[in-house]
Amino acid sequence: MMLYQLQEKLSVLIKQYNFVKQQSEQLSEKVVALEDIVALQKERLKELEEELMIKRMGDNGDQQALIKYIDSIIREIDNTIKKL
């Protein structure tokens, strides 16, 4: 009788372990998905901040600063191309 009870308890524990393991895997997948979303949102925020800065430069009539900024972007692109 004692062996049967131990087997029963072991079976319950194994089921619980498998359930917890499955839940853990699902949570890990969700975390990875959320990390991807956060990375995309950070990139989009950076793009929007750059767009806003360019718009403000244009609105304020600060054409020289805008030209310098665009030139720096062009240089950065050129350097990246050269590295490839």
Side-chain angles (χ1 to χ4, degrees):
M1 192 78 149
M2 180 80 157
L3 181 60
Y4 177 75
Q5 289 174 338
L6 289 173
Q7 286 176 331
E8 231 179 71
K9 288 181 181 182
L10 180 60
S11 176
V12 169
L13 286 173
I14 290 172
K15 286 178 185 177
Q16 288 175 341
Y17 169 78
N18 289 334
F19 176 76
V20 168
K21 184 178 176 185
Q22 181 184 14
Q23 293 293 322
S24 175
E25 290 170 356
Q26 289 175 350
L27 285 173
S28 293
E29 291 171 4
K30 289 179 181 180
V31 167
V32 168
L34 287 173
E35 288 173 341
D36 290 343
I37 291 170
V38 168
L40 290 172
Q41 292 299 325
K42 284 181 179 179
E43 183 63 31
R44 181 64 182 142
L45 177 62
K46 181 181 174 187
E47 291 170 1
L48 288 172
E49 287 172 341
E50 288 176 356
E51 289 175 17
L52 180 60
M53 183 179 69
I54 291 170
K55 183 178 182 326
R56 285 182 179 163
M57 285 180 187
D59 289 348
N60 292 335
D62 194 359
Q63 298 298 320
Q64 281 302 108
L66 183 57
I67 290 170
K68 287 180 184 179
Y69 177 72
I70 292 172
D71 286 342
S72 71
I73 292 174
I74 291 171
R75 280 192 300 278
E76 185 178 328
I77 292 170
D78 285 342
N79 290 337
T80 303
I81 291 172
K82 288 176 185 177
K83 290 179 183 178
L84 299 176

Coordinates of all heavy atoms in Angstrom, one line a residue:
M1 N 0.8 -1.2 0.0 CA 0.0 0.0 0.0 C 0.9 1.3 0.0 O 0.6 2.2 -0.7 CB -0.9 0.0 1.2 CG -2.0 1.0 1.2 SD -3.3 0.4 0.1 CE -4.7 1.1 0.8
M2 N 1.9 1.3 0.8 CA 2.8 2.4 0.9 C 3.4 2.8 -0.5 O 3.5 3.9 -0.9 CB 3.8 2.2 1.9 CG 4.8 3.3 2.1 SD 4.0 4.5 3.2 CE 5.4 5.3 3.8
L3 N 3.8 1.7 -1.2 CA 4.5 1.9 -2.5 C 3.5 2.6 -3.5 O 3.9 3.5 -4.2 CB 5.0 0.6 -3.0 CG 5.7 0.6 -4.4 CD1 6.9 1.6 -4.3 CD2 6.1 -0.8 -4.8
Y4 N 2.3 2.1 -3.5 CA 1.2 2.7 -4.3 C 1.0 4.2 -4.1 O 0.9 5.0 -5.0 CB -0.1 1.9 -4.2 CG -1.2 2.5 -5.0 CD1 -1.2 2.3 -6.4 CD2 -2.2 3.3 -4.4 CE1 -2.2 2.9 -7.1 CE2 -3.2 3.8 -5.1 CZ -3.2 3.6 -6.5 OH -4.2 4.2 -7.3
Q5 N 1.0 4.6 -2.8 CA 0.8 6.0 -2.4 C 2.0 6.8 -2.9 O 1.8 7.9 -3.3 CB 0.6 6.1 -0.9 CG -0.7 5.6 -0.4 CD -0.8 5.6 1.1 OE1 0.2 5.6 1.8 NE2 -2.0 5.5 1.6
L6 N 3.2 6.3 -2.7 CA 4.4 7.0 -3.2 C 4.4 7.2 -4.7 O 4.7 8.2 -5.2 CB 5.7 6.2 -2.8 CG 6.0 6.3 -1.3 CD1 7.2 5.4 -1.0 CD2 6.2 7.7 -0.8
Q7 N 3.9 6.1 -5.4 CA 3.8 6.2 -6.9 C 2.8 7.3 -7.3 O 3.0 8.0 -8.2 CB 3.5 4.9 -7.5 CG 4.6 3.9 -7.5 CD 4.2 2.5 -8.0 OE1 3.0 2.1 -7.9 NE2 5.2 1.8 -8.6
E8 N 1.7 7.3 -6.6 CA 0.7 8.3 -6.8 C 1.2 9.7 -6.6 O 1.0 10.6 -7.4 CB -0.5 8.0 -5.9 CG -1.8 7.9 -6.7 CD -3.0 7.6 -5.7 OE1 -3.3 8.5 -4.9 OE2 -3.5 6.5 -5.8
K9 N 1.9 9.9 -5.5 CA 2.4 11.2 -5.2 C 3.5 11.6 -6.2 O 3.6 12.8 -6.6 CB 3.0 11.2 -3.8 CG 2.0 11.2 -2.7 CD 2.6 11.2 -1.3 CE 1.5 11.2 -0.3 NZ 2.1 11.3 1.1
L10 N 4.3 10.7 -6.6 CA 5.3 10.9 -7.6 C 4.7 11.3 -8.9 O 5.1 12.3 -9.6 CB 6.2 9.7 -7.8 CG 7.3 9.8 -8.9 CD1 8.3 11.0 -8.5 CD2 8.1 8.5 -9.0
S11 N 3.6 10.6 -9.3 CA 2.9 11.0 -10.5 C 2.3 12.4 -10.5 O 2.4 13.1 -11.5 CB 1.8 10.0 -10.7 OG 1.0 10.3 -11.9
V12 N 1.8 12.8 -9.4 CA 1.2 14.1 -9.2 C 2.4 15.1 -9.3 O 2.2 16.2 -10.0 CB 0.5 14.3 -7.9 CG1 0.1 15.7 -7.6 CG2 -0.8 13.4 -7.9
L13 N 3.5 14.8 -8.6 CA 4.6 15.8 -8.7 C 5.2 15.9 -10.1 O 5.5 17.0 -10.5 CB 5.7 15.3 -7.7 CG 5.4 15.5 -6.2 CD1 6.5 14.8 -5.4 CD2 5.3 17.0 -5.9
I14 N 5.2 14.8 -10.8 CA 5.7 14.9 -12.2 C 4.8 15.7 -13.1 O 5.2 16.5 -13.9 CB 5.9 13.5 -12.8 CG1 7.1 12.8 -12.1 CG2 6.1 13.5 -14.3 CD1 7.2 11.3 -12.4
K15 N 3.5 15.6 -12.9 CA 2.5 16.4 -13.6 C 2.7 17.9 -13.3 O 2.6 18.7 -14.2 CB 1.1 15.9 -13.4 CG 0.7 14.6 -14.0 CD -0.7 14.1 -13.7 CE -1.0 12.8 -14.2 NZ -2.3 12.3 -13.8
Q16 N 2.8 18.1 -12.0 CA 3.0 19.5 -11.6 C 4.3 20.1 -12.2 O 4.3 21.2 -12.6 CB 3.0 19.7 -10.1 CG 1.6 19.4 -9.5 CD 1.7 19.4 -8.0 OE1 2.7 19.3 -7.4 NE2 0.5 19.6 -7.4
Y17 N 5.4 19.3 -12.2 CA 6.6 19.8 -12.7 C 6.5 20.1 -14.2 O 7.0 21.1 -14.7 CB 7.7 18.7 -12.5 CG 9.0 19.0 -13.2 CD1 9.9 19.9 -12.8 CD2 9.3 18.3 -14.4 CE1 11.1 20.2 -13.5 CE2 10.4 18.6 -15.1 CZ 11.3 19.5 -14.7 OH 12.5 19.8 -15.4
N18 N 5.9 19.2 -14.9 CA 5.7 19.4 -16.4 C 4.9 20.6 -16.6 O 5.2 21.4 -17.6 CB 5.1 18.1 -17.0 CG 6.0 17.0 -17.1 OD1 7.2 17.2 -17.1 ND2 5.5 15.8 -17.1
F19 N 3.9 20.8 -15.8 CA 3.0 22.0 -16.0 C 3.9 23.3 -15.7 O 3.8 24.2 -16.5 CB 1.8 22.0 -15.0 CG 1.0 23.2 -15.1 CD1 0.1 23.4 -16.1 CD2 1.1 24.2 -14.1 CE1 -0.7 24.6 -16.2 CE2 0.3 25.3 -14.1 CZ -0.6 25.5 -15.1
V20 N 4.6 23.3 -14.7 CA 5.5 24.5 -14.4 C 6.5 24.7 -15.4 O 6.8 25.8 -15.9 CB 6.1 24.3 -13.0 CG1 7.2 25.3 -12.7 CG2 5.1 24.4 -11.9
K21 N 7.1 23.6 -15.9 CA 8.1 23.7 -17.0 C 7.5 24.3 -18.3 O 8.0 25.2 -18.9 CB 8.7 22.3 -17.3 CG 9.8 22.3 -18.3 CD 10.3 20.9 -18.5 CE 11.4 20.9 -19.6 NZ 11.8 19.6 -19.9
Q22 N 6.3 23.9 -18.6 CA 5.6 24.4 -19.8 C 5.3 25.9 -19.6 O 5.4 26.7 -20.5 CB 4.3 23.6 -20.0 CG 3.5 24.1 -21.2 CD 2.2 23.3 -21.4 OE1 1.7 22.7 -20.5 NE2 1.5 23.5 -22.5
Q23 N 4.8 26.3 -18.4 CA 4.5 27.7 -18.1 C 5.8 28.5 -18.2 O 5.8 29.6 -18.7 CB 3.9 27.8 -16.7 CG 2.5 27.2 -16.6 CD 1.5 27.9 -17.4 OE1 1.5 29.1 -17.5 NE2 0.6 27.2 -18.0
S24 N 6.9 28.0 -17.7 CA 8.1 28.7 -17.8 C 8.6 28.9 -19.2 O 9.1 30.0 -19.6 CB 9.2 27.9 -17.0 OG 10.5 28.5 -17.1
E25 N 8.4 27.9 -20.1 CA 8.8 28.0 -21.5 C 7.9 29.1 -22.2 O 8.4 29.9 -23.0 CB 8.7 26.7 -22.2 CG 9.8 25.7 -21.7 CD 9.5 24.3 -22.2 OE1 8.5 24.0 -22.9 OE2 10.4 23.4 -22.0
Q26 N 6.6 29.1 -21.9 CA 5.7 30.0 -22.4 C 6.1 31.5 -22.0 O 6.1 32.4 -22.8 CB 4.3 29.7 -22.1 CG 3.7 28.5 -22.8 CD 2.3 28.1 -22.3 OE1 1.8 28.7 -21.3 NE2 1.7 27.2 -23.0
L27 N 6.4 31.6 -20.7 CA 6.8 32.9 -20.2 C 8.1 33.4 -20.9 O 8.3 34.5 -21.3 CB 7.0 32.9 -18.7 CG 5.7 32.9 -17.9 CD1 6.0 32.7 -16.4 CD2 4.9 34.1 -18.2
S28 N 9.1 32.4 -21.1 CA 10.3 32.8 -21.8 C 10.1 33.3 -23.2 O 10.7 34.2 -23.6 CB 11.3 31.6 -21.8 OG 11.7 31.2 -20.5
E29 N 9.2 32.6 -23.9 CA 8.8 33.0 -25.2 C 8.2 34.4 -25.2 O 8.5 35.2 -26.1 CB 7.9 32.0 -25.9 CG 8.5 30.7 -26.2 CD 7.5 29.6 -26.6 OE1 6.3 29.9 -26.8 OE2 7.9 28.5 -26.8
K30 N 7.3 34.7 -24.3 CA 6.7 36.0 -24.2 C 7.7 37.1 -23.9 O 7.7 38.2 -24.4 CB 5.6 36.0 -23.1 CG 4.4 35.2 -23.6 CD 3.3 35.2 -22.5 CE 2.1 34.4 -22.9 NZ 1.1 34.3 -21.9
V31 N 8.7 36.7 -23.0 CA 9.7 37.7 -22.7 C 10.6 38.1 -23.9 O 10.8 39.2 -24.2 CB 10.7 37.2 -21.5 CG1 11.9 38.0 -21.4 CG2 9.9 37.1 -20.2
V32 N 10.9 37.0 -24.7 CA 11.7 37.3 -25.9 C 10.9 38.2 -26.9 O 11.4 39.1 -27.5 CB 12.1 35.9 -26.6 CG1 12.6 36.2 -28.0 CG2 13.1 35.2 -25.8
A33 N 9.6 37.9 -27.0 CA 8.7 38.7 -27.9 C 8.6 40.1 -27.4 O 8.7 41.1 -28.2 CB 7.3 38.0 -28.0
L34 N 8.5 40.3 -26.1 CA 8.4 41.6 -25.5 C 9.8 42.4 -25.7 O 9.8 43.6 -26.0 CB 8.1 41.6 -24.1 CG 6.6 41.2 -23.8 CD1 6.4 41.0 -22.3 CD2 5.7 42.3 -24.3
E35 N 10.9 41.7 -25.6 CA 12.2 42.3 -25.8 C 12.3 42.8 -27.2 O 12.8 43.9 -27.5 CB 13.3 41.3 -25.5 CG 13.5 41.1 -24.0 CD 14.5 40.0 -23.6 OE1 14.8 39.2 -24.5 OE2 14.9 40.0 -22.5
D36 N 11.8 42.0 -28.2 CA 11.8 42.4 -29.6 C 11.0 43.6 -29.8 O 11.4 44.6 -30.5 CB 11.3 41.3 -30.5 CG 12.3 40.1 -30.6 OD1 13.5 40.3 -30.2 OD2 11.9 39.0 -31.0
I37 N 9.8 43.7 -29.2 CA 8.9 44.8 -29.3 C 9.6 46.1 -28.7 O 9.5 47.1 -29.3 CB 7.6 44.5 -28.6 CG1 6.8 43.5 -29.4 CG2 6.7 45.8 -28.5 CD1 5.5 43.0 -28.7
V38 N 10.2 45.9 -27.6 CA 10.9 47.0 -26.9 C 12.0 47.6 -27.8 O 12.2 48.8 -28.0 CB 11.4 46.7 -25.5 CG1 12.4 47.7 -25.0 CG2 10.3 46.5 -24.6
A39 N 12.8 46.7 -28.4 CA 13.9 47.1 -29.3 C 13.3 47.8 -30.5 O 13.9 48.9 -30.9 CB 14.7 45.9 -29.7
L40 N 12.2 47.4 -31.1 CA 11.6 48.1 -32.2 C 11.1 49.4 -31.8 O 11.2 50.4 -32.5 CB 10.5 47.2 -32.8 CG 10.9 45.9 -33.5 CD1 9.7 45.1 -33.9 CD2 11.7 46.3 -34.8
Q41 N 10.5 49.5 -30.6 CA 10.0 50.8 -30.1 C 11.1 51.8 -29.9 O 10.9 53.0 -30.1 CB 9.1 50.6 -28.9 CG 7.8 49.8 -29.2 CD 6.9 50.5 -30.1 OE1 6.8 51.7 -30.2 NE2 6.2 49.8 -30.9
K42 N 12.2 51.3 -29.3 CA 13.3 52.2 -29.1 C 13.9 52.7 -30.4 O 14.2 53.9 -30.5 CB 14.4 51.4 -28.3 CG 14.2 51.2 -26.9 CD 15.3 50.5 -26.2 CE 15.1 50.3 -24.7 NZ 16.2 49.6 -24.0
E43 N 14.0 51.9 -31.4 CA 14.4 52.3 -32.7 C 13.5 53.3 -33.3 O 13.9 54.3 -33.9 CB 14.6 51.1 -33.6 CG 15.2 51.4 -35.0 CD 16.6 52.0 -35.0 OE1 17.3 51.6 -34.1 OE2 16.9 52.8 -35.8
R44 N 12.2 53.1 -33.2 CA 11.2 54.0 -33.7 C 11.2 55.3 -33.0 O 11.1 56.4 -33.6 CB 9.8 53.4 -33.6 CG 8.7 54.3 -34.1 CD 8.8 54.5 -35.6 NE 7.8 55.4 -36.1 CZ 7.9 56.3 -37.0 NH1 9.1 56.5 -37.6 NH2 6.9 57.1 -37.3
L45 N 11.4 55.3 -31.7 CA 11.6 56.5 -30.9 C 12.8 57.3 -31.3 O 12.7 58.5 -31.5 CB 11.7 56.2 -29.4 CG 11.9 57.3 -28.4 CD1 10.7 58.3 -28.5 CD2 12.1 56.9 -27.0
K46 N 13.9 56.6 -31.6 CA 15.1 57.3 -32.1 C 14.8 58.0 -33.4 O 15.2 59.2 -33.6 CB 16.2 56.3 -32.2 CG 17.5 56.9 -32.7 CD 18.6 55.9 -32.8 CE 19.8 56.5 -33.4 NZ 20.8 55.4 -33.7
E47 N 14.1 57.3 -34.3 CA 13.8 57.9 -35.6 C 12.9 59.1 -35.4 O 13.1 60.1 -36.1 CB 13.1 56.8 -36.5 CG 14.0 55.7 -36.9 CD 13.2 54.6 -37.6 OE1 12.0 54.7 -37.7 OE2 13.9 53.6 -38.0
L48 N 11.9 59.0 -34.6 CA 11.0 60.1 -34.3 C 11.7 61.3 -33.7 O 11.4 62.5 -34.1 CB 9.8 59.7 -33.4 CG 8.8 58.7 -34.1 CD1 7.8 58.2 -33.0 CD2 8.1 59.4 -35.2
E49 N 12.6 61.0 -32.8 CA 13.4 62.1 -32.2 C 14.2 62.8 -33.3 O 14.3 64.1 -33.3 CB 14.2 61.6 -31.1 CG 13.5 61.3 -29.8 CD 14.3 60.6 -28.8 OE1 15.4 60.0 -29.1 OE2 13.9 60.5 -27.6
E50 N 14.8 62.1 -34.2 CA 15.6 62.7 -35.2 C 14.7 63.5 -36.2 O 15.1 64.6 -36.6 CB 16.4 61.6 -36.0 CG 17.5 61.0 -35.3 CD 18.2 59.8 -36.0 OE1 17.7 59.4 -37.1 OE2 19.2 59.3 -35.5
E51 N 13.6 62.9 -36.5 CA 12.6 63.7 -37.4 C 12.2 65.0 -36.7 O 12.1 66.0 -37.4 CB 11.4 62.8 -37.7 CG 11.7 61.7 -38.6 CD 10.5 60.8 -38.8 OE1 9.4 61.2 -38.5 OE2 10.7 59.6 -39.3
L52 N 11.9 64.9 -35.4 CA 11.5 66.1 -34.7 C 12.6 67.2 -34.7 O 12.4 68.4 -34.9 CB 11.1 65.8 -33.3 CG 10.6 66.9 -32.4 CD1 9.4 67.6 -33.0 CD2 10.3 66.4 -31.0
M53 N 13.8 66.7 -34.4 CA 15.0 67.6 -34.4 C 15.1 68.3 -35.8 O 15.3 69.5 -35.9 CB 16.3 66.9 -34.0 CG 17.5 67.8 -33.9 SD 19.0 66.9 -33.5 CE 19.3 66.0 -35.0
I54 N 15.0 67.5 -36.8 CA 15.2 68.1 -38.2 C 14.0 69.1 -38.5 O 14.3 70.2 -39.0 CB 15.2 67.0 -39.2 CG1 16.4 66.2 -39.1 CG2 15.0 67.5 -40.6 CD1 16.5 64.9 -40.0
K55 N 12.8 68.7 -38.0 CA 11.7 69.6 -38.2 C 11.9 70.9 -37.5 O 11.6 72.0 -38.0 CB 10.4 69.0 -37.8 CG 9.1 69.8 -38.0 CD 7.9 69.1 -37.6 CE 6.6 69.8 -37.9 NZ 6.6 71.2 -37.8
R56 N 12.3 70.8 -36.2 CA 12.6 72.0 -35.4 C 13.7 72.9 -36.1 O 13.6 74.1 -36.0 CB 13.0 71.7 -34.0 CG 11.8 71.2 -33.2 CD 12.2 70.9 -31.8 NE 11.0 70.5 -31.0 CZ 11.1 69.8 -29.8 NH1 12.3 69.6 -29.3 NH2 10.1 69.5 -29.2
M57 N 14.7 72.3 -36.6 CA 15.8 73.1 -37.2 C 15.2 73.8 -38.4 O 15.6 75.0 -38.6 CB 16.9 72.1 -37.6 CG 17.8 71.7 -36.5 SD 19.1 70.6 -37.2 CE 19.8 70.0 -35.7
G58 N 14.4 73.1 -39.2 CA 13.8 73.7 -40.4 C 12.8 74.8 -40.0 O 12.8 75.9 -40.6
D59 N 12.0 74.6 -38.9 CA 11.1 75.6 -38.5 C 11.7 76.9 -37.9 O 11.2 78.0 -38.1 CB 10.1 75.0 -37.4 CG 9.2 74.0 -38.0 OD1 9.1 73.9 -39.3 OD2 8.5 73.3 -37.2
N60 N 12.8 76.7 -37.2 CA 13.5 77.8 -36.6 C 14.4 78.6 -37.6 O 15.0 79.5 -37.2 CB 14.4 77.3 -35.4 CG 13.6 76.8 -34.3 OD1 12.4 77.1 -34.1 ND2 14.2 75.9 -33.5
G61 N 14.4 78.1 -38.8 CA 15.3 78.8 -39.7 C 16.7 78.6 -39.5 O 17.6 79.3 -40.1
D62 N 17.1 77.6 -38.8 CA 18.5 77.2 -38.5 C 19.0 76.3 -39.6 O 19.3 75.1 -39.3 CB 18.6 76.6 -37.1 CG 20.0 76.5 -36.6 OD1 20.9 77.0 -37.3 OD2 20.2 76.0 -35.5
Q63 N 19.1 76.8 -40.8 CA 19.4 76.0 -41.9 C 20.8 75.5 -41.8 O 21.1 74.4 -42.3 CB 19.3 76.9 -43.2 CG 17.8 77.3 -43.5 CD 16.9 76.2 -43.6 OE1 17.2 75.2 -44.3 NE2 15.7 76.3 -43.1
Q64 N 21.7 76.3 -41.3 CA 23.1 75.8 -41.1 C 23.2 74.6 -40.3 O 24.0 73.6 -40.6 CB 24.0 76.9 -40.6 CG 24.4 78.0 -41.6 CD 25.2 77.4 -42.8 OE1 24.6 77.3 -43.9 NE2 26.4 77.0 -42.6
A65 N 22.5 74.6 -39.2 CA 22.6 73.4 -38.3 C 22.0 72.2 -39.0 O 22.5 71.1 -38.8 CB 21.8 73.7 -37.0
L66 N 20.9 72.4 -39.7 CA 20.3 71.3 -40.5 C 21.2 70.8 -41.5 O 21.4 69.6 -41.7 CB 19.0 71.8 -41.1 CG 18.1 70.8 -41.9 CD1 17.8 69.6 -41.0 CD2 16.9 71.4 -42.4
I67 N 21.9 71.7 -42.2 CA 22.9 71.2 -43.2 C 24.0 70.4 -42.6 O 24.4 69.4 -43.1 CB 23.4 72.5 -44.0 CG1 22.3 73.0 -44.9 CG2 24.6 72.1 -44.9 CD1 22.6 74.4 -45.5
K68 N 24.5 70.9 -41.5 CA 25.6 70.2 -40.8 C 25.1 68.8 -40.3 O 25.9 67.8 -40.4 CB 26.1 71.0 -39.6 CG 26.9 72.2 -39.9 CD 27.3 73.0 -38.7 CE 28.1 74.2 -39.1 NZ 28.5 75.0 -37.9
Y69 N 23.9 68.7 -39.8 CA 23.4 67.5 -39.4 C 23.2 66.5 -40.6 O 23.6 65.3 -40.5 CB 22.0 67.7 -38.7 CG 21.4 66.4 -38.3 CD1 21.9 65.7 -37.2 CD2 20.3 65.9 -39.0 CE1 21.3 64.5 -36.8 CE2 19.7 64.7 -38.6 CZ 20.2 64.0 -37.5 OH 19.6 62.8 -37.1
I70 N 22.7 67.0 -41.7 CA 22.5 66.1 -42.8 C 23.9 65.7 -43.4 O 24.1 64.5 -43.7 CB 21.7 66.8 -43.9 CG1 20.3 67.0 -43.4 CG2 21.8 66.1 -45.2 CD1 19.4 67.9 -44.3
D71 N 24.9 66.6 -43.4 CA 26.2 66.3 -43.8 C 26.8 65.2 -42.9 O 27.5 64.3 -43.4 CB 27.1 67.5 -43.8 CG 26.8 68.4 -45.0 OD1 26.2 68.0 -46.0 OD2 27.3 69.6 -44.9
S72 N 26.6 65.3 -41.6 CA 27.2 64.3 -40.7 C 26.5 62.9 -41.0 O 27.2 61.9 -40.9 CB 27.0 64.7 -39.2 OG 25.6 64.6 -38.9
I73 N 25.2 62.9 -41.3 CA 24.6 61.6 -41.6 C 25.2 61.0 -42.9 O 25.4 59.8 -43.0 CB 23.1 61.8 -41.7 CG1 22.4 62.1 -40.4 CG2 22.4 60.6 -42.3 CD1 21.0 62.5 -40.4
I74 N 25.4 61.9 -43.9 CA 26.0 61.4 -45.1 C 27.4 60.9 -44.9 O 27.7 59.8 -45.4 CB 26.0 62.6 -46.2 CG1 24.5 62.9 -46.6 CG2 26.8 62.2 -47.4 CD1 24.4 64.2 -47.4
R75 N 28.2 61.5 -44.1 CA 29.5 61.0 -43.8 C 29.4 59.7 -43.1 O 30.2 58.8 -43.3 CB 30.3 62.0 -42.9 CG 30.9 63.2 -43.7 CD 31.9 64.0 -42.9 NE 31.3 64.6 -41.7 CZ 30.6 65.7 -41.6 NH1 30.4 66.4 -42.7 NH2 30.1 66.2 -40.5
E76 N 28.5 59.6 -42.1 CA 28.3 58.3 -41.4 C 27.9 57.2 -42.4 O 28.5 56.1 -42.3 CB 27.2 58.5 -40.3 CG 27.1 57.3 -39.5 CD 26.0 57.5 -38.4 OE1 25.9 58.6 -37.9 OE2 25.4 56.5 -38.0
I77 N 27.1 57.5 -43.3 CA 26.7 56.5 -44.3 C 27.9 56.1 -45.2 O 28.1 54.9 -45.5 CB 25.5 57.0 -45.2 CG1 24.2 57.1 -44.4 CG2 25.3 56.1 -46.4 CD1 23.1 57.8 -45.0
D78 N 28.6 57.1 -45.6 CA 29.8 56.8 -46.4 C 30.8 56.0 -45.7 O 31.4 55.0 -46.2 CB 30.5 58.2 -46.8 CG 29.8 58.9 -47.9 OD1 29.0 58.3 -48.6 OD2 30.1 60.1 -48.1
N79 N 31.1 56.3 -44.4 CA 32.0 55.5 -43.6 C 31.5 54.0 -43.5 O 32.3 53.1 -43.5 CB 32.2 56.1 -42.2 CG 33.0 57.4 -42.3 OD1 33.7 57.6 -43.3 ND2 32.8 58.2 -41.3
T80 N 30.2 53.9 -43.3 CA 29.7 52.5 -43.2 C 29.8 51.8 -44.4 O 30.2 50.6 -44.4 CB 28.2 52.6 -42.8 OG1 28.0 53.4 -41.6 CG2 27.6 51.2 -42.6
I81 N 29.6 52.4 -45.6 CA 29.7 51.8 -46.9 C 31.2 51.4 -47.1 O 31.5 50.3 -47.6 CB 29.2 52.7 -48.0 CG1 27.7 52.8 -47.9 CG2 29.7 52.1 -49.4 CD1 27.1 53.8 -48.9
K82 N 32.1 52.2 -46.7 CA 33.5 51.9 -46.9 C 34.0 50.7 -46.1 O 34.8 50.0 -46.4 CB 34.4 53.1 -46.5 CG 34.3 54.2 -47.6 CD 35.1 55.5 -47.1 CE 34.9 56.6 -48.1 NZ 35.5 57.8 -47.7
K83 N 33.4 50.6 -44.9 CA 33.7 49.4 -44.0 C 33.2 48.1 -44.6 O 33.7 47.1 -44.2 CB 33.1 49.7 -42.6 CG 33.8 50.8 -41.8 CD 33.2 50.9 -40.5 CE 33.8 52.1 -39.7 NZ 33.2 52.3 -38.4
L84 N 32.2 48.2 -45.4 CA 31.6 47.0 -46.0 C 32.5 46.6 -47.1 O 33.0 45.7 -47.4 CB 30.2 47.2 -46.5 CG 29.1 47.6 -45.5 CD1 27.8 47.9 -46.2 CD2 28.9 46.5 -44.5

